[in-house]
Amino acid sequence: PQSQFNIEGLTTNLDMEGSTDTSRSQTLFIVRHGDRWDYSHPEWSSTAARPGDPPLSSLGHRQARDVGRYLDEVFARENIHARDITLLSSPFLRCIQTSNELLSEFHKTQGDVAETVSIQPEYSVFELDSKDRGWHASLPTLAERKCYFPRMEEAHESMFVPTLPENRGQFLDRCEDVIRRLNTKYQHPDGECTTTTITDAAAAGGSVAQQQPRVIVIVTHAAGCVAMAKSASGKELQDINPAPPCGIYRLDRVSDSEAWDIDHYSKEGGMNGYKDHLGDVGVTTKGWNNFGDDKVNNGYTGPPGNTSFILHK
């Protein structure tokens, strides 16, 4: 039930700055997609036409709706209007489905979020290439996606399209580039728009909008959640909690600073891989922060002592 949601943790970054004036804040929410169908039904990929692009499971759809109800509570509380929201999504099906489900759950936020906020397919935040382009070869055209997800803005121009194949180190560099370009393209709404910033934004693959968003939501994959939270906050991998299905990372800034604030990984109820909004986390889609050598603790690179994720595969 919405009344049971614990939304106090969502303002902790601002509290650390000594202020709860969210009207001056620009907020970045990085959200992992929900539980995957193929993890519960491994036989699916052997007959699927696009085995690298699995859908959400029934649980994954429920988790995505949990995210939407939760964010709706937060945005209503912080006086966010539909026009203040930009939603970017990886073009993989599980991310588009997660985005679509969460938007459907907005009822309290000012403006008609479900009808006016579009899903902008952003290729720069798509999945880490771990299969020598095998997963990415399954992606359909955006025109085909649009047929089934009318909220999707087919004309959206991605900040850039990554070059594949890539290793984990190159992926981390890619996410650094994503955050640099995002900071330029989606400036703090109180920042001054100068000729220099307009030129920089064009070079980053876009243009400065007339009204910059107060809230940016990125729906992506586990690796992208961890790497972008790391890059945006300027912290290390071991400072970022593993990304659970439909986990949320909240980062805030009060100016055009390149660094965003994030809760410490040990903070109770903190927004560093938050999952308390979920009715069911599930058991097949695990938390992930595994950028290291697979032969050592399965490559786990998250906070020390978090042994529940070390054996994840």
Side-chain angles (χ1 to χ4, degrees), residues 21-48:
D21 181 11
T22 58
S23 65
R24 295 186 59 250
S25 165
Q26 185 179 41
T27 306
L28 172 63
F29 290 95
I30 307 175
V31 181
R32 186 185 179 187
H33 61 77
D35 187 71
R36 290 170 51 155
W37 176 271
D38 59 329
Y39 283 178
S40 299
H41 303 85
E43 73 283 355
W44 172 85
S45 60
S46 63
T47 58

Side-chain angles (χ1 to χ4, degrees), residues 59-284:
L59 172 60
H61 283 277
R62 295 197 301 273
Q63 291 170 337
R65 292 192 290 271
D66 285 343
V67 173
R69 289 190 292 270
Y70 189 51
L71 292 182
D72 188 32
E73 289 275 355
V74 175
F75 294 175
R77 180 191 185 199
E78 298 187 3
N79 295 317
I80 301 297
H81 194 280
R83 63 174 174 265
D84 299 324
I85 303 167
T86 291
L87 190 151
L88 307 175
S89 175
S90 161
F92 278 84
L93 178 58
R94 55 195 180 274
C95 293
I96 297 292
Q97 288 178 319
T98 299
S99 300
N100 197 57
E101 290 279 22
L102 72 85
L103 285 176
S104 297
E105 294 299 318
F106 277 77
H107 305 290
K108 298 181 178 181
T109 302
Q110 300 174 59
D112 194 341
V113 173
E115 292 298 324
T116 61
V117 176
S118 63
I119 299 171
Q120 300 185 24
E122 180 58 52
Y123 277 78
S124 68
V125 302
F126 68 23
E127 180 68 290
L128 163 67
D129 179 28
S130 296
K131 299 290 183 181
D132 194 20
R133 292 171 283 195
W135 287 338
H136 300 73
S138 291
L139 287 174
T141 64
L142 292 182
E144 181 178 336
R145 279 278 194 259
K146 177 77 171 180
C147 292
Y148 301 100
F149 298 97
R151 282 194 181 101
M152 200 187 75
E153 187 177 324
E154 185 183 351
H156 170 74
E157 293 186 11
S158 293
M159 290 184 282
F160 64 95
V161 178
T163 300
L164 302 179
E166 67 182 355
N167 56 38
R168 292 177 184 178
Q170 291 167 329
F171 176 81
L172 289 170
D173 290 341
R174 188 229 290 183
C175 290
E176 291 275 0
D177 196 12
V178 168
I179 295 301
R180 280 194 298 268
R181 295 182 187 230
L182 181 141
N183 285 342
T184 300
K185 185 174 183 179
Y186 302 104
Q187 298 173 13
H188 189 282
D190 290 341
E192 294 185 4
C193 182
T194 65
T195 302
T196 301
T197 57
I198 292 174
T199 303
D200 290 344
S207 58
V208 175
Q210 290 184 347
Q211 179 172 328
Q212 296 296 332
R214 281 184 59 195
V215 171
I216 304 164
V217 180
I218 301 178
V219 180
T220 183
H221 309 264
C225 286
V226 172
M228 283 189 281
K230 167 190 176 297
S231 297
S233 64
K235 296 188 180 296
E236 302 299 327
L237 286 172
Q238 59 264 33
D239 297 314
I240 308 300
N241 280 321
C246 276
I248 302 173
Y249 298 81
R250 174 176 178 154
L251 301 98
D252 291 280
R253 63 178 182 173
V254 293
S255 68
D256 269 334
S257 168
E258 294 182 359
W260 300 69
D261 294 323
I262 191 171
D263 285 326
H264 191 268
Y265 65 80
S266 65
K267 183 175 180 61
E268 186 73 23
M271 297 303 299
N272 184 334
Y274 186 73
K275 60 182 179 181
D276 291 353
H277 59 293
L278 298 175
D280 185 355
V281 178
V283 296
T284 56

